[in-house]
Amino acid sequence: MPESLDPVIHTVARLRIMTTLTALAEGDRLTFPKLQSLLDASAGNLSTHLRRLEDAGYVRVVKGHQGRVPSTQVEVTRAGRRAFEDYLAQLRALLTPPAEVAAAEPAAATAEPAEPAAATAEPADADTTEENR
């Protein structure tokens, strides 16, 4: 039986965040507004989920300035990337049928179809139809 899924990642919002950030090359970052736009999330909701991921060590939130403009950037950490890969492996294991079930399925799919039951009604006699009366 596979281990339980990581509860930090296993919410829709955090799963979407991790999926987006792990699609980037290692070391690449997204600005907070760009991530918010990609996920179509509110600023408050995204902040809450990022804090949970940050507390777990899965993402790093870097605050700074670009020129004089404040900037918040987000990146996935190595631990976060590893946790996400483990999460995906556990999810695949959960969704993969046990070997004995998978082995039984091809046999069931190739089994001969049952023959249809023989008709029990006798055909109508030509002399007893309405047209011939």
Side-chain angles (χ1 to χ4, degrees), residues 50-72:
L50 283 174
R51 182 166 320 267
R52 181 75 169 99
L53 290 166
E54 188 177 29
D55 290 346
Y58 293 174
V59 300
R60 182 176 303 114
V61 178
V62 180
K63 296 186 182 254
H65 289 82
Q66 290 181 337
R68 292 180 181 219
V69 179
S71 172
T72 301

Side-chain angles (χ1 to χ4, degrees), residues 13-108:
R14 292 192 293 263
L15 179 58
R16 292 181 68 216
I17 292 167
M18 292 299 291
T19 300
T20 303
L21 293 176
T22 57
L24 301 173
E26 193 168 333
D28 283 357
R29 298 175 180 167
L30 282 177
T31 63
F32 184 92
K34 179 67 175 177
L35 184 58
Q36 182 182 359
S37 173
L38 288 170
L39 300 176
D40 193 28
S42 69
N45 193 350
L46 182 56
S47 292
T48 299
H49 289 293
L50 283 174
R51 182 166 320 267
R52 181 75 169 99
L53 290 166
E54 188 177 29
D55 290 346
Y58 293 174
V59 300
R60 182 176 303 114
V61 178
V62 180
K63 296 186 182 254
H65 289 82
Q66 290 181 337
R68 292 180 181 219
V69 179
S71 172
T72 301
Q73 298 186 351
V74 184
E75 67 180 318
V76 67
T77 63
R78 282 192 182 147
R81 196 173 291 276
R82 189 169 39 254
F84 186 70
E85 290 167 1
D86 290 346
Y87 175 87
L88 291 178
Q90 291 168 350
L91 190 57
R92 283 186 197 101
L94 261 175
L95 297 175
T96 302
E100 59 271 7
V101 173
E105 286 179 5

